[in-house]
Amino acid sequence: MFSLVLALLVAQTPAPAERTDAKGLVVMMSRSEGLTPIESAAVADRLSRALWEARLPVAMEPGDARSRLGERRTPESCQGKPECFVKLGRDLGVAAVVTIDSSKVFDDLPMRITVIETREGQVLFKRSYTASALRPTELDSAFQRASQELAKTFSESEDTSVAEALGPLDAPRAPNLFPSAYPSSDMTAFTRPTPLPVSVARIGAGASAVTAVTFLVLGLAQASRLQEERAPGVSAWTHAEAMKLRSSANTRFALSGIFAGVSGALLVTSFVLPWEPSLPDSSSNP
């Protein structure tokens, strides 16, 4: 009798409803080699803003998403694993996660933008872009192009749930969707002037390189003078004069090598020096 009642209760218990309340998307950095934390945040904010301006349903800012996830569950902890971003997206209640995989190569910023829906973990969009980290307008243009391609992909999707949850918005949006309006301090990370130590190192590297080339040219000029002849087979210089010219040329060759080494060392140092000062801990603010 008890087993019969239990079977009836189980039969009448509704099956768990499919998760259909998840809407919108959020941007996360998957990898950011060569970028400072401030630059990484600026990249994510710029893409998020471009998506929002393309009327795509951005659910929250990247910084807000990080705050909700906490310090122990950062996007970096996923180490690029799609299933990890799916889990983070589900916990945030969004329909898709937009990840940016980027690595700074000198002044170029190659990026791979991927969109993963959180219901089944399928990849809806994956495309690569390259922009200059020194020209914010070029970076914004790449993100605007990506936003347009994303909007087209979502609107043309055969999956109606994807089109409803991620398609471009037709209705007017609330003006206070993003109360912080993307603080300009975060959006200008790439436009800030190079810090003084880095500038000094690079100027010193350039000056040392010029000096090295100068001494090399002077040394070669003196070495060529040793070949001058007063008559065929007769040197234009006495032995003492020739030794003096040879010594002077060797000295200038040595100085050229020293300054070339200094230039290389300063250039390497300019890439090692931090580009941004350490930020104060936000948790200590009242």
Side-chain angles (χ1 to χ4, degrees):
M1 183 65 180
F2 176 75
S3 60
L4 179 61
V5 173
L6 182 60
L8 290 174
L9 289 175
V10 172
Q12 294 178 359
T13 302
E18 187 178 0
R19 214 170 59 93
T20 58
D21 56 335
K23 289 188 177 181
L25 49 85
V26 65
V27 177
M28 297 183 184
M29 290 296 297
S30 172
R31 185 172 65 103
S32 55
E33 294 183 2
L35 297 175
T36 66
I38 291 181
E39 288 175 332
S40 297
V43 169
D45 283 342
R46 284 180 180 272
L47 177 56
S48 186
R49 183 175 186 176
L51 296 174
W52 184 69
E53 290 177 345
R55 305 193 67 80
L56 288 171
V58 179
M60 63 190 74
E61 298 179 42
D64 188 16
R66 294 181 67 94
S67 299
R68 296 189 187 187
L69 292 171
E71 296 181 356
R72 295 185 178 181
R73 303 174 63 230
T74 61
E76 292 81 4
S77 64
C78 288
Q79 299 181 349
K81 298 178 181 178
E83 59 273 13
C84 179
F85 287 106
V86 169
K87 180 65 167 59
L88 295 182
R90 288 174 181 171
D91 294 342
L92 291 171
V94 296
V97 176
V98 182
T99 63
I100 308 175
D101 188 326
S102 178
S103 57
K104 191 175 182 181
V105 181
F106 295 103
D107 295 333
D108 289 332
L109 197 64
M111 302 167 289
R112 183 171 68 248
I113 298 176
T114 306
V115 180
I116 310 172
E117 58 94 14
T118 60
R119 185 182 57 181
E120 298 179 358
Q122 295 182 352
V123 176
L124 304 177
F125 181 92
K126 180 184 289 187
R127 198 156 298 177
S128 298
Y129 304 87
T130 300
S132 172
L134 300 181
R135 293 189 288 273
T137 55
E138 185 176 326
L139 186 63
D140 288 337
S141 296
F143 286 157
Q144 290 169 5
R145 188 166 65 255
S147 300
Q148 294 171 359
E149 294 171 352
L150 272 174
K152 182 179 179 181
T153 299
F154 295 153
S155 61
E156 295 178 353
S157 174
E158 297 179 356
D159 190 337
T160 57
S161 61
V162 171
E164 292 177 359
L166 301 174
L169 301 174
D170 295 328
R173 297 173 298 182
N176 60 345
L177 181 60
F178 292 99
S180 62
Y182 293 97
S184 58
S185 59
D186 290 340
M187 299 304 296
T188 57
F190 286 101
T191 62
R192 295 176 182 177
T194 305
L196 181 60
V198 177
S199 300
V200 171
R202 292 188 175 177
I203 292 174
S208 298
V210 172
T211 305
V213 172
T214 301
F215 277 114
L216 178 62
V217 171
L218 292 175
L220 290 173
Q222 285 191 324
S224 66
R225 292 180 64 190
L226 288 172
Q227 307 302 321
E228 295 179 1
E229 296 179 342
R230 183 181 301 112
V234 180
S235 175
W237 312 100
T238 64
H239 178 73
E241 291 173 338
M243 293 300 297
K244 184 177 180 180
L245 279 175
R246 185 184 299 276
S247 176
S248 178
N250 289 338
T251 300
R252 293 182 176 182
F253 286 144
L255 289 173
S256 175
I258 292 173
F259 278 102
V262 171
S263 175
L266 288 173
L267 185 62
V268 172
T269 302
S270 70
F271 287 100
V272 175
L273 289 172
W275 276 69
E276 297 289 347
S278 57
L279 297 176
D281 186 4
S282 58
S283 60
S284 62
N285 295 335

